[in-house]
Amino acid sequence: MTTLFDPITVGDIALSNRIAMAPLTRNRAPNAVPTPLMATYYAQRATAGLLITEATAISHQGQGYADVPGLYAPEQIAGWKGVTAAVHQAGGRIVTQLWHVGRVSHTELQPGQGAPVAPSAIRAHTKTVLLKDGAPVFVDTSEPRALDIAELPGIVEDYRRAALAAIEAGFDGVEIHAANGYLLDQFLKTGSNQRTDAYGGSIENRARLLMEVVAAVVGAIGGGRTGIRLSPVTPANDIIDADPQPLFTHVVQQLAPHGLAYVHVIEGATGGPRELADRPFDYAALKAAYRAAGGKAAWMVNNGYDLALANQAVADGADVVAFGRPFISNPDLVQRLRVGGPFNEPDRNTFYGGGAQGYTDYPVLG
Ligand code: PHB
């Protein structure tokens, strides 16, 4: 019987086990440049079958939080080279998560202090993080402006360039972030997309920008180095769709021919309940629709997994299980899962911003 600890190849990437480290925002990249401390942090966790970096801005416009890293300037690529080299030296595999936050941003973080951009000028009732004297401060996101249709090819190009930059920086691949109420998810869902052009209205139209991004990234670096993250029903960042099952059925059917490395699905509310009474969703049907359309990518599941739930998921046919918060406080999470614990508890006060404390100082098993 297959277990979590068995190797698997996802697209072009050979993993030593089926445990992924989920993307986790840590706000420790001043001026959006990855640091040697980040290299240490990721290398400490390199026994994960796959490390997915914290969400990483594809452009200055795509940034929405203080001190999150980017992948659009030479010094950022140079910083990431230090991270990928350290992870590979430690025997790990690492992809980076390509991020455009859309409306989940603040004028202070935008080029020229402009308004954040969105499918429609509808504000997200959510918070972002600014740093004041090095300490995280949670503030309301700013009122966005609707993107002109003429701006969309430039955003697709930013994804393509960031994917190429990722390969230049030594990553094994990329994950397109289409989840959690950020730009691509904002286009997908009715609560944030009220456009009347070719990018709004029907499911096909709302999925158009995502599919253009997928085609551009796959065209640049290959499907075997490209993953995608989806969150059909999460309320994160004030996102909602009126009818998510047919929307995401269409999305995975369109993804199927791209030969992706993996499809990463957040089940339920990001970092919260796996089942939402007011937002039911059939994940088995989603996977079945993807397979029926010929999709062969690894199926990666995420949200609130512990060892028992992860074993059950693998027994039920999941290919990879992504763990988030447990990786913050357990750099050797794979070994701890193997022996059944114990597990260090994470310190929430050091999640966002700061230095080594609560970042690279969690102990491994003796
Ligand atoms: C966050 O920084 O809070 C964050 C980033 C990316 C996500 C979710 C949350 O996908």
Side-chain angles (χ1 to χ4, degrees):
M1 208 186 78
T2 301
T3 81
L4 267 182
F5 307 102
D6 291 326
I8 185 171
T9 296
V10 307
D12 297 343
I13 314 169
L15 313 186
S16 60
N17 58 62
R18 292 154 190 255
I19 297 164
M21 176 171 155
L24 295 159
T25 293
R26 305 304 307 274
N27 308 77
R28 282 167 168 86
N31 303 312
V33 178
T35 65
L37 186 66
M38 287 169 60
T40 301
Y41 163 76
Y42 283 110
Q44 285 176 342
R45 287 153 181 79
T47 51
L50 184 66
L51 300 173
I52 306 166
T53 71
E54 62 208 278
T56 296
I58 60 163
S59 62
H60 189 172
Q61 182 195 70
Q63 170 158 350
Y65 301 80
D67 288 4
V68 295
L71 194 42
Y72 51 90
E75 61 273 25
Q76 297 164 350
I77 296 172
W80 281 123
K81 278 183 183 167
V83 173
T84 61
V87 168
H88 289 149
Q89 175 74 30
R93 296 283 183 274
I94 183 165
V95 299
T96 187
Q97 195 194 42
L98 301 184
W99 198 24
H100 189 309
V101 296
R103 66 181 183 165
V104 185
S105 188
H106 192 278
T107 53
E108 272 192 38
L109 300 166
Q110 287 290 304
Q113 312 242 315
V117 298
S120 303
I122 305 168
R123 187 174 189 157
H125 296 281
T126 187
K127 302 275 185 191
T128 183
V129 180
L130 302 179
L131 293 175
K132 298 283 180 211
D133 301 322
V137 199
F138 292 82
V139 297
D140 289 340
T141 53
S142 305
E143 185 80 29
R145 69 173 177 86
L147 281 159
D148 191 283
I149 194 166
E151 295 177 271
L152 300 182
I155 290 180
V156 174
E157 175 62 11
D158 286 341
Y159 277 96
R160 192 187 72 85
R161 262 204 295 257
L164 289 171
I167 299 304
E168 184 189 342
F171 284 107
D172 296 290
V174 304
E175 174 175 290
I176 297 169
H177 193 349
N180 291 344
Y182 296 112
L183 183 72
L184 297 173
D185 205 22
Q186 289 159 28
F187 268 86
L188 287 176
K189 292 177 179 168
T190 54
S192 42
N193 184 345
Q194 295 182 0
R195 298 177 73 95
T196 54
D197 61 12
Y199 293 83
S202 67
I203 283 175
E204 290 74 14
N205 282 358
R206 282 182 277 127
R208 190 177 308 282
L209 182 64
L210 172 59
M211 292 311 154
E212 289 175 354
V213 167
V214 170
V217 169
V218 168
I221 69 168
R225 299 209 171 275
T226 305
I228 189 165
R229 196 174 205 211
L230 305 171
S231 57
V233 296
T234 189
N237 291 314
D238 193 24
I239 200 83
I240 187 157
D241 187 73
D243 200 3
Q245 197 82 43
L247 168 62
F248 282 90
T249 299
H250 171 78
V251 167
V252 297
Q253 286 170 342
Q254 296 292 302
L255 291 175
H258 281 289
L260 298 181
Y262 66 86
V263 177
H264 183 179
V265 181
I266 300 172
E267 298 157 335
T270 313
R274 294 177 43 78
E275 305 273 351
L276 301 171
D278 58 336
R279 299 187 185 202
F281 195 85
D282 185 341
Y283 298 96
L286 184 72
K287 183 179 176 188
Y290 178 67
R291 295 285 184 239
K296 300 207 168 21
W299 197 260
M300 184 187 295
V301 296
N302 172 243
N303 201 21
Y305 279 88
D306 60 14
L307 181 58
L309 206 54
N311 280 330
Q312 188 58 51
V314 170
D316 291 345
D319 299 303
V320 181
V321 179
F323 293 81
R325 276 170 294 194
F327 261 115
I328 290 181
S329 51
N330 299 279
D332 55 345
L333 183 66
V334 173
Q335 177 62 10
R336 289 173 188 264
L337 289 169
R338 216 185 269 280
V339 300
F343 302 97
N344 304 315
E345 283 303 314
D347 169 20
R348 295 181 159 276
N349 296 320
T350 50
F351 278 3
Y352 307 112
Q357 190 197 345
Y359 191 55
T360 53
D361 61 354
Y362 285 104
V364 296
L365 286 175

